[in-house]
Amino acid sequence: LGYTLSSGTENGIKQPNEIILGLGFATPFGKRMPATYGTIVGTATNASTGAPVVATVAFPDNPKMVTITTEADGIFQVKKAPVGAVTVEVSADGYNKQAVPLAVDENKVINYEFKLRPLKTYGTIAGTVIDAVTSMPMTARIEFPGSTLAPVSADPTTGAFKVGKVETGIYTITASADKYVPATITLAVEDNKLATATFKLSPAEAA
């Protein structure tokens, strides 16, 4: 801020005092600050198995950020993520969508694993069938009434049977064989776990 004071005479006539005010500094107003960025590195995996998932990655709160797709190994990278809170939304067919706000710092890398829960989860049913009198393994027809699971047969040598990729839930299992009394077991199949059943079939004449 500057001040100028002037007085005197002009053509023999005395002039009044005059004060002139002037601004002598520059302001930053109107000047744009350069944008700052960080990097986001993420991985999409199956929450049940840990296997990589090919997924779509979107940024719903940042419309200028382009939607991308992960690599086959589930990894994605965003090199120019704006500094601040960035919501990252990861989705894939057959999985529940996951949206997470990440704090991006300038010139730093933030890593995050998106564990997507499948819309349907699966487990495995396995078991054995033995003769209740001799304890010897035996073959039998294994059925799952009230479900879409197809019947299977227990191995005649080991008595073992196994059914993979069974949707989680409660199942009734029946084992039957010629000249034996059928037996039924109810069990729960849990996500990515093995549910086991042992059948001891009694000969019909000993029932």
PDB file of all heavy atoms in Angstrom, residues 171-194:
ATOM      1  N   TYR A 171     -28.996 -80.223   4.614  1.00  0.00           N
ATOM      2  CA  TYR A 171     -29.319 -81.322   3.708  1.00  0.00           C
ATOM      3  C   TYR A 171     -29.676 -82.587   4.483  1.00  0.00           C
ATOM      4  O   TYR A 171     -29.067 -82.892   5.527  1.00  0.00           O
ATOM      5  CB  TYR A 171     -28.146 -81.627   2.772  1.00  0.00           C
ATOM      6  CG  TYR A 171     -27.906 -80.551   1.754  1.00  0.00           C
ATOM      7  CD1 TYR A 171     -27.144 -79.431   2.061  1.00  0.00           C
ATOM      8  CD2 TYR A 171     -28.458 -80.634   0.476  1.00  0.00           C
ATOM      9  CE1 TYR A 171     -26.936 -78.415   1.130  1.00  0.00           C
ATOM     10  CE2 TYR A 171     -28.260 -79.645  -0.464  1.00  0.00           C
ATOM     11  CZ  TYR A 171     -27.502 -78.537  -0.122  1.00  0.00           C
ATOM     12  OH  TYR A 171     -27.305 -77.535  -1.056  1.00  0.00           O
ATOM     13  N   THR A 172     -30.658 -83.306   3.954  1.00  0.00           N
ATOM     14  CA  THR A 172     -31.000 -84.636   4.447  1.00  0.00           C
ATOM     15  C   THR A 172     -30.393 -85.647   3.480  1.00  0.00           C
ATOM     16  O   THR A 172     -30.592 -85.554   2.265  1.00  0.00           O
ATOM     17  CB  THR A 172     -32.522 -84.828   4.514  1.00  0.00           C
ATOM     18  OG1 THR A 172     -33.062 -83.884   5.443  1.00  0.00           O
ATOM     19  CG2 THR A 172     -32.872 -86.241   4.972  1.00  0.00           C
ATOM     20  N   ILE A 173     -29.631 -86.604   4.030  1.00  0.00           N
ATOM     21  CA  ILE A 173     -28.937 -87.586   3.199  1.00  0.00           C
ATOM     22  C   ILE A 173     -29.407 -88.984   3.590  1.00  0.00           C
ATOM     23  O   ILE A 173     -29.447 -89.321   4.784  1.00  0.00           O
ATOM     24  CB  ILE A 173     -27.410 -87.480   3.369  1.00  0.00           C
ATOM     25  CG1 ILE A 173     -26.957 -86.030   3.179  1.00  0.00           C
ATOM     26  CG2 ILE A 173     -26.692 -88.392   2.395  1.00  0.00           C
ATOM     27  CD1 ILE A 173     -25.499 -85.814   3.472  1.00  0.00           C
ATOM     28  N   THR A 174     -29.727 -89.770   2.607  1.00  0.00           N
ATOM     29  CA  THR A 174     -30.202 -91.132   2.847  1.00  0.00           C
ATOM     30  C   THR A 174     -29.275 -92.138   2.166  1.00  0.00           C
ATOM     31  O   THR A 174     -28.889 -91.954   1.005  1.00  0.00           O
ATOM     32  CB  THR A 174     -31.627 -91.321   2.309  1.00  0.00           C
ATOM     33  OG1 THR A 174     -32.500 -90.421   2.971  1.00  0.00           O
ATOM     34  CG2 THR A 174     -32.111 -92.742   2.545  1.00  0.00           C
ATOM     35  N   ALA A 175     -28.897 -93.171   2.902  1.00  0.00           N
ATOM     36  CA  ALA A 175     -28.089 -94.264   2.353  1.00  0.00           C
ATOM     37  C   ALA A 175     -28.937 -95.533   2.354  1.00  0.00           C
ATOM     38  O   ALA A 175     -29.565 -95.872   3.371  1.00  0.00           O
ATOM     39  CB  ALA A 175     -26.832 -94.460   3.178  1.00  0.00           C
ATOM     40  N   SER A 176     -28.943 -96.229   1.225  1.00  0.00           N
ATOM     41  CA  SER A 176     -29.744 -97.457   1.137  1.00  0.00           C
ATOM     42  C   SER A 176     -28.992 -98.505   0.323  1.00  0.00           C
ATOM     43  O   SER A 176     -28.200 -98.177  -0.562  1.00  0.00           O
ATOM     44  CB  SER A 176     -31.100 -97.167   0.493  1.00  0.00           C
ATOM     45  OG  SER A 176     -30.937 -96.641  -0.813  1.00  0.00           O
ATOM     46  N   ALA A 177     -29.255 -99.772   0.650  1.00  0.00           N
ATOM     47  CA  ALA A 177     -28.635-100.891  -0.071  1.00  0.00           C
ATOM     48  C   ALA A 177     -29.549-102.097   0.046  1.00  0.00           C
ATOM     49  O   ALA A 177     -30.345-102.215   0.992  1.00  0.00           O
ATOM     50  CB  ALA A 177     -27.260-101.204   0.507  1.00  0.00           C
ATOM     51  N   ASP A 178     -29.439-103.006  -0.919  1.00  0.00           N
ATOM     52  CA  ASP A 178     -30.258-104.214  -0.893  1.00  0.00           C
ATOM     53  C   ASP A 178     -30.008-105.001   0.386  1.00  0.00           C
ATOM     54  O   ASP A 178     -28.850-105.193   0.810  1.00  0.00           O
ATOM     55  CB  ASP A 178     -29.954-105.097  -2.106  1.00  0.00           C
ATOM     56  CG  ASP A 178     -30.450-104.479  -3.406  1.00  0.00           C
ATOM     57  OD1 ASP A 178     -31.330-103.573  -3.332  1.00  0.00           O
ATOM     58  OD2 ASP A 178     -29.973-104.887  -4.478  1.00  0.00           O
ATOM     59  N   LYS A 179     -31.093-105.450   1.009  1.00  0.00           N
ATOM     60  CA  LYS A 179     -31.061-106.282   2.212  1.00  0.00           C
ATOM     61  C   LYS A 179     -30.533-105.546   3.435  1.00  0.00           C
ATOM     62  O   LYS A 179     -30.096-106.171   4.409  1.00  0.00           O
ATOM     63  CB  LYS A 179     -30.250-107.559   1.974  1.00  0.00           C
ATOM     64  CG  LYS A 179     -30.820-108.444   0.864  1.00  0.00           C
ATOM     65  CD  LYS A 179     -29.992-109.705   0.680  1.00  0.00           C
ATOM     66  CE  LYS A 179     -30.588-110.568  -0.450  1.00  0.00           C
ATOM     67  NZ  LYS A 179     -29.825-111.826  -0.651  1.00  0.00           N
ATOM     68  N   TYR A 180     -30.571-104.218   3.369  1.00  0.00           N
ATOM     69  CA  TYR A 180     -30.182-103.395   4.518  1.00  0.00           C
ATOM     70  C   TYR A 180     -31.277-102.381   4.821  1.00  0.00           C
ATOM     71  O   TYR A 180     -32.043-101.965   3.926  1.00  0.00           O
ATOM     72  CB  TYR A 180     -28.869-102.658   4.245  1.00  0.00           C
ATOM     73  CG  TYR A 180     -27.632-103.518   4.326  1.00  0.00           C
ATOM     74  CD1 TYR A 180     -27.215-104.278   3.237  1.00  0.00           C
ATOM     75  CD2 TYR A 180     -26.894-103.589   5.497  1.00  0.00           C
ATOM     76  CE1 TYR A 180     -26.091-105.077   3.299  1.00  0.00           C
ATOM     77  CE2 TYR A 180     -25.748-104.380   5.572  1.00  0.00           C
ATOM     78  CZ  TYR A 180     -25.354-105.120   4.475  1.00  0.00           C
ATOM     79  OH  TYR A 180     -24.231-105.919   4.555  1.00  0.00           O
ATOM     80  N   VAL A 181     -31.337-101.997   6.073  1.00  0.00           N
ATOM     81  CA  VAL A 181     -32.293-100.969   6.486  1.00  0.00           C
ATOM     82  C   VAL A 181     -31.703 -99.602   6.134  1.00  0.00           C
ATOM     83  O   VAL A 181     -30.563 -99.298   6.533  1.00  0.00           O
ATOM     84  CB  VAL A 181     -32.572-101.040   8.003  1.00  0.00           C
ATOM     85  CG1 VAL A 181     -33.534 -99.929   8.412  1.00  0.00           C
ATOM     86  CG2 VAL A 181     -33.121-102.412   8.379  1.00  0.00           C
ATOM     87  N   PRO A 182     -32.440 -98.754   5.397  1.00  0.00           N
ATOM     88  CA  PRO A 182     -31.915 -97.426   5.038  1.00  0.00           C
ATOM     89  C   PRO A 182     -31.643 -96.580   6.282  1.00  0.00           C
ATOM     90  O   PRO A 182     -32.276 -96.750   7.332  1.00  0.00           O
ATOM     91  CB  PRO A 182     -33.038 -96.812   4.189  1.00  0.00           C
ATOM     92  CG  PRO A 182     -33.833 -97.975   3.714  1.00  0.00           C
ATOM     93  CD  PRO A 182     -33.770 -98.998   4.810  1.00  0.00           C
ATOM     94  N   ALA A 183     -30.711 -95.674   6.143  1.00  0.00           N
ATOM     95  CA  ALA A 183     -30.379 -94.750   7.242  1.00  0.00           C
ATOM     96  C   ALA A 183     -30.372 -93.324   6.702  1.00  0.00           C
ATOM     97  O   ALA A 183     -30.060 -93.087   5.527  1.00  0.00           O
ATOM     98  CB  ALA A 183     -29.026 -95.102   7.836  1.00  0.00           C
ATOM     99  N   THR A 184     -30.736 -92.400   7.578  1.00  0.00           N
ATOM    100  CA  THR A 184     -30.820 -90.990   7.172  1.00  0.00           C
ATOM    101  C   THR A 184     -30.038 -90.109   8.145  1.00  0.00           C
ATOM    102  O   THR A 184     -30.094 -90.314   9.374  1.00  0.00           O
ATOM    103  CB  THR A 184     -32.290 -90.516   7.136  1.00  0.00           C
ATOM    104  OG1 THR A 184     -32.998 -91.291   6.169  1.00  0.00           O
ATOM    105  CG2 THR A 184     -32.393 -89.047   6.749  1.00  0.00           C
ATOM    106  N   ILE A 185     -29.328 -89.139   7.597  1.00  0.00           N
ATOM    107  CA  ILE A 185     -28.576 -88.172   8.395  1.00  0.00           C
ATOM    108  C   ILE A 185     -28.883 -86.771   7.868  1.00  0.00           C
ATOM    109  O   ILE A 185     -28.987 -86.561   6.660  1.00  0.00           O
ATOM    110  CB  ILE A 185     -27.050 -88.440   8.314  1.00  0.00           C
ATOM    111  CG1 ILE A 185     -26.692 -89.748   9.017  1.00  0.00           C
ATOM    112  CG2 ILE A 185     -26.255 -87.275   8.922  1.00  0.00           C
ATOM    113  CD1 ILE A 185     -25.225 -90.124   8.901  1.00  0.00           C
ATOM    114  N   THR A 186     -28.994 -85.806   8.778  1.00  0.00           N
ATOM    115  CA  THR A 186     -29.151 -84.395   8.395  1.00  0.00           C
ATOM    116  C   THR A 186     -27.892 -83.644   8.802  1.00  0.00           C
ATOM    117  O   THR A 186     -27.414 -83.782   9.932  1.00  0.00           O
ATOM    118  CB  THR A 186     -30.373 -83.768   9.089  1.00  0.00           C
ATOM    119  OG1 THR A 186     -31.548 -84.478   8.682  1.00  0.00           O
ATOM    120  CG2 THR A 186     -30.521 -82.306   8.704  1.00  0.00           C
ATOM    121  N   LEU A 187     -27.352 -82.869   7.865  1.00  0.00           N
ATOM    122  CA  LEU A 187     -26.134 -82.112   8.188  1.00  0.00           C
ATOM    123  C   LEU A 187     -26.163 -80.731   7.525  1.00  0.00           C
ATOM    124  O   LEU A 187     -26.950 -80.481   6.617  1.00  0.00           O
ATOM    125  CB  LEU A 187     -24.870 -82.880   7.784  1.00  0.00           C
ATOM    126  CG  LEU A 187     -24.739 -83.455   6.372  1.00  0.00           C
ATOM    127  CD1 LEU A 187     -24.485 -82.365   5.362  1.00  0.00           C
ATOM    128  CD2 LEU A 187     -23.578 -84.455   6.340  1.00  0.00           C
ATOM    129  N   ALA A 188     -25.294 -79.871   8.014  1.00  0.00           N
ATOM    130  CA  ALA A 188     -25.196 -78.501   7.492  1.00  0.00           C
ATOM    131  C   ALA A 188     -23.944 -78.366   6.642  1.00  0.00           C
ATOM    132  O   ALA A 188     -22.843 -78.763   7.059  1.00  0.00           O
ATOM    133  CB  ALA A 188     -25.155 -77.495   8.640  1.00  0.00           C
ATOM    134  N   VAL A 189     -24.100 -77.808   5.462  1.00  0.00           N
ATOM    135  CA  VAL A 189     -22.967 -77.526   4.574  1.00  0.00           C
ATOM    136  C   VAL A 189     -22.628 -76.049   4.711  1.00  0.00           C
ATOM    137  O   VAL A 189     -23.475 -75.180   4.473  1.00  0.00           O
ATOM    138  CB  VAL A 189     -23.305 -77.866   3.111  1.00  0.00           C
ATOM    139  CG1 VAL A 189     -22.149 -77.470   2.192  1.00  0.00           C
ATOM    140  CG2 VAL A 189     -23.627 -79.348   2.973  1.00  0.00           C
ATOM    141  N   GLU A 190     -21.396 -75.766   5.084  1.00  0.00           N
ATOM    142  CA  GLU A 190     -20.946 -74.389   5.294  1.00  0.00           C
ATOM    143  C   GLU A 190     -19.996 -73.966   4.191  1.00  0.00           C
ATOM    144  O   GLU A 190     -19.398 -74.789   3.494  1.00  0.00           O
ATOM    145  CB  GLU A 190     -20.272 -74.255   6.666  1.00  0.00           C
ATOM    146  CG  GLU A 190     -21.200 -74.579   7.830  1.00  0.00           C
ATOM    147  CD  GLU A 190     -20.511 -74.418   9.163  1.00  0.00           C
ATOM    148  OE1 GLU A 190     -19.390 -73.868   9.207  1.00  0.00           O
ATOM    149  OE2 GLU A 190     -21.084 -74.846  10.182  1.00  0.00           O
ATOM    150  N   ASP A 191     -19.849 -72.658   4.072  1.00  0.00           N
ATOM    151  CA  ASP A 191     -19.030 -72.069   3.020  1.00  0.00           C
ATOM    152  C   ASP A 191     -17.597 -72.572   3.058  1.00  0.00           C
ATOM    153  O   ASP A 191     -16.908 -72.428   4.072  1.00  0.00           O
ATOM    154  CB  ASP A 191     -19.063 -70.544   3.171  1.00  0.00           C
ATOM    155  CG  ASP A 191     -18.277 -69.821   2.093  1.00  0.00           C
ATOM    156  OD1 ASP A 191     -18.051 -70.423   1.018  1.00  0.00           O
ATOM    157  OD2 ASP A 191     -17.897 -68.650   2.315  1.00  0.00           O
ATOM    158  N   ASN A 192     -17.181 -73.185   1.935  1.00  0.00           N
ATOM    159  CA  ASN A 192     -15.796 -73.633   1.747  1.00  0.00           C
ATOM    160  C   ASN A 192     -15.334 -74.623   2.823  1.00  0.00           C
ATOM    161  O   ASN A 192     -14.158 -74.679   3.156  1.00  0.00           O
ATOM    162  CB  ASN A 192     -14.849 -72.416   1.725  1.00  0.00           C
ATOM    163  CG  ASN A 192     -13.549 -72.707   1.023  1.00  0.00           C
ATOM    164  OD1 ASN A 192     -13.504 -73.453   0.049  1.00  0.00           O
ATOM    165  ND2 ASN A 192     -12.470 -72.138   1.517  1.00  0.00           N
ATOM    166  N   LYS A 193     -16.288 -75.406   3.354  1.00  0.00           N
ATOM    167  CA  LYS A 193     -15.941 -76.392   4.374  1.00  0.00           C
ATOM    168  C   LYS A 193     -16.422 -77.786   3.966  1.00  0.00           C
ATOM    169  O   LYS A 193     -17.265 -77.930   3.080  1.00  0.00           O
ATOM    170  CB  LYS A 193     -16.538 -75.999   5.728  1.00  0.00           C
ATOM    171  CG  LYS A 193     -15.910 -74.754   6.333  1.00  0.00           C
ATOM    172  CD  LYS A 193     -16.456 -74.481   7.725  1.00  0.00           C
ATOM    173  CE  LYS A 193     -15.788 -73.268   8.345  1.00  0.00           C
ATOM    174  NZ  LYS A 193     -16.295 -72.997   9.717  1.00  0.00           N
ATOM    175  N   LEU A 194     -15.863 -78.782   4.640  1.00  0.00           N
ATOM    176  CA  LEU A 194     -16.218 -80.177   4.371  1.00  0.00           C
ATOM    177  C   LEU A 194     -17.194 -80.662   5.431  1.00  0.00           C
ATOM    178  O   LEU A 194     -16.915 -80.585   6.634  1.00  0.00           O
ATOM    179  CB  LEU A 194     -14.965 -81.051   4.377  1.00  0.00           C
ATOM    180  CG  LEU A 194     -15.174 -82.559   4.215  1.00  0.00           C
ATOM    181  CD1 LEU A 194     -15.709 -82.873   2.831  1.00  0.00           C
ATOM    182  CD2 LEU A 194     -13.865 -83.304   4.474  1.00  0.00           C
TER     183      LEU A 194
END
